[in-house]
Amino acid sequence: MKTLTDTFGRKFPYIRMSITDVCNYKCTYCLPEGYKKIPGDTRSFMTGEEISRLTKALSELGVCKIRLTGGEPTVRKDFFDILKNMKQNSNISKITMTTNGYQLDKIAERLNESGLDGINISIDSLNRDTFKKLTGHDRLLQILEGIKILQNLNFKNIKVNAVLLKGINDTYEEFEKFGNFIKNNKIDFRFIELMQTGDNLNFFKKNHVSSKIFKDYLEENEWVYQTYGKDAGPSLNYIHPEYDGKFGLIAPYSKGFCETCNRLRITSRGDLRLCLFGNTGISIRHLLQNDNQKDELVDLIIKQLHLKKESHHLEIGETGVTPNLSSTGG
């Protein structure tokens, strides 16, 4: 079997695939004015057929995990058709998704029935008013209800993500609230350090806080670092004997963050991106039009890996071609 390997010996069994840029939230750190089309980019989002062909090709390259992202992936009317096709017509063993949970209480049962292997839900605060200010929507209670429904259905792999924001959720008290949430709850909660993108410099300067503040909290409170599998994401995971859930930390500014990179990205318009904050990428959509293009598609993806750099340069303010996180699947 051909495999995705770069010139630094890293393998890539994990793909983050965006299926739409559209999001129905107005998160302060991503799309504060809501979703707007990228000026000059008139291309449509990939069709279900194109996504199906791409998934089959990726399975031949040793990919074992695909995470569906957006925007908000569930805004697509054919979301469940895409998910069903992936589960039934490819050899990808894990299909997961990232969602803002907007309709989670309404679609939780259907997600479980679909065979989805894992879900990441964005909840930046467990305070209802703060959640509303951050997202523009008063839906925290419905999201928490959706999580309960999934748990009652014995859905196992539930993760909650929060962007670490200065003066909002970066205090000891806030960490304790999330700790109480996972104490008797088998949920992985992860803080993500705020990242600078092409359009959020002022917000970044005002709201960025180093992930070290949360790491220090974990170490002071006897959380123990846990290693992760080959298709895991970039989170540093921690366990505690008194907690059912886990804490995690995604720290893109930390030294050596890119050394264990194991994932590539596909944008909603069919571009292969080698790095969230890189300047290299190529459209592969022209090779998603017919089933007989698969070999050519596989060869093109393999060749692109030779262009992947050893590391991003986010620490010196190089954000690549990423205008905002919604444009590349977060």
Side-chain angles (χ1 to χ4, degrees):
M1 175 186 285
K2 297 178 180 179
T3 59
L4 292 172
T5 306
D6 69 4
T7 55
F8 303 99
R10 296 173 296 193
K11 297 184 183 299
F12 300 89
Y14 175 17
I15 301 291
R16 292 181 62 99
M17 184 185 297
S18 176
I19 59 174
T20 181
D21 291 355
V22 178
C23 187
N24 44 13
Y25 274 22
K26 297 181 179 180
C27 293
T28 54
Y29 51 82
C30 186
L31 295 173
E33 298 180 5
Y35 167 72
K36 295 181 180 179
K37 292 183 178 180
I38 299 175
D41 195 342
T42 59
R43 297 177 297 168
S44 60
F45 302 133
M46 287 188 292
T47 66
E49 290 81 4
E50 290 170 332
I51 292 170
S52 178
R53 293 185 184 107
L54 177 56
T55 302
K56 291 174 182 176
L58 292 171
S59 70
E60 293 192 5
L61 286 168
V63 171
C64 60
K65 178 180 178 181
I66 291 179
R67 176 173 298 283
L68 295 175
T69 70
E72 169 49 40
T74 62
V75 301
R76 279 191 64 143
K77 294 180 179 179
D78 61 348
F79 169 76
F80 281 100
D81 293 329
I82 292 171
L83 180 55
K84 180 180 179 181
N85 184 278
M86 282 186 159
K87 292 296 296 183
Q88 294 183 350
N89 298 315
S90 78
N91 293 319
I92 306 295
S93 59
K94 291 183 184 178
I95 306 294
T96 64
M97 69 177 294
T98 295
T99 176
N100 61 29
Y102 184 84
Q103 292 185 318
L104 187 59
D105 55 331
K106 296 181 175 63
I107 65 172
E109 291 188 16
R110 196 173 178 189
L111 287 172
N112 184 61
E113 292 169 356
S114 72
L116 185 72
D117 296 293
I119 187 168
N120 287 19
I121 306 158
S122 298
I123 304 178
D124 296 308
S125 175
L126 290 172
N127 179 285
R128 185 174 174 181
D129 290 335
T130 303
F131 181 91
K132 182 179 179 181
K133 289 177 182 177
L134 288 172
T135 65
H137 289 275
D138 183 15
R139 298 195 62 85
L140 177 61
L141 299 183
Q142 291 92 326
I143 295 170
L144 295 177
E145 177 62 24
I147 291 175
K148 287 182 181 178
I149 294 172
L150 285 174
Q151 290 176 319
N152 289 336
L153 293 169
N154 204 32
F155 189 96
K156 299 292 187 183
N157 187 6
I158 301 174
K159 296 182 174 70
V160 171
N161 296 336
V163 176
L164 188 61
L165 299 168
K166 183 185 295 183
I168 296 175
N169 58 15
D170 66 334
T171 64
Y172 186 96
E173 291 74 21
E174 290 296 317
F175 299 159
E176 287 288 283
K177 286 180 183 178
F178 283 114
N180 290 334
F181 179 62
I182 66 171
K183 189 173 181 65
N184 301 303
N185 228 342
K186 290 187 177 180
I187 289 176
D188 293 2
F189 174 85
R190 297 98 57 79
F191 264 119
I192 304 172
E193 186 173 357
L194 179 66
M195 293 171 274
Q196 181 185 338
T197 57
D199 66 353
N200 78 344
L201 179 58
N202 292 334
F203 184 90
F204 176 81
K205 288 180 177 179
K206 180 181 178 181
N207 295 280
H208 177 262
V209 58
S210 172
S211 60
K212 185 178 183 299
I213 190 172
F214 185 57
K215 188 175 182 180
D216 289 345
Y217 165 83
L218 294 173
E219 293 175 351
E220 290 168 6
N221 288 276
E222 300 179 343
W223 286 82
V224 180
Y225 175 69
Q226 181 188 44
T227 57
Y228 47 86
K230 69 173 184 177
D231 63 352
S235 176
L236 303 174
N237 299 313
Y238 294 79
I239 56 176
H240 194 290
E242 298 178 7
Y243 288 73
D244 289 339
K246 300 176 184 178
F247 264 138
L249 178 62
I250 299 175
Y253 290 90
S254 61
K255 183 179 180 181
F257 179 74
C258 298
E259 291 177 1
T260 57
C261 183
N262 64 349
R263 61 207 174 278
L264 303 174
R265 296 171 184 269
I266 308 292
T267 72
S268 61
R269 292 175 172 83
D271 295 340
L272 171 66
R273 293 288 300 277
L274 304 179
C275 175
L276 176 59
F277 295 103
N279 289 303
T280 54
I282 188 173
S283 175
I284 58 176
R285 194 168 185 178
H286 60 291
L287 296 178
L288 303 178
Q289 305 311 306
N290 296 291
D291 293 342
N292 59 12
Q293 294 178 297
K294 185 169 59 176
D295 290 343
E296 189 177 355
L297 173 62
V298 166
D299 288 341
L300 178 60
I301 294 174
I302 290 174
K303 289 177 182 178
Q304 284 298 299
L305 263 295
H306 296 295
L307 301 176
K308 185 169 174 62
K309 297 180 179 179
E310 186 174 14
S311 173
H312 63 54
H313 296 289
L314 194 57
E315 71 281 358
I316 60 173
E318 290 189 12
T319 61
V321 295
T322 300
N324 55 65
L325 294 178
S326 180
S327 67
T328 49

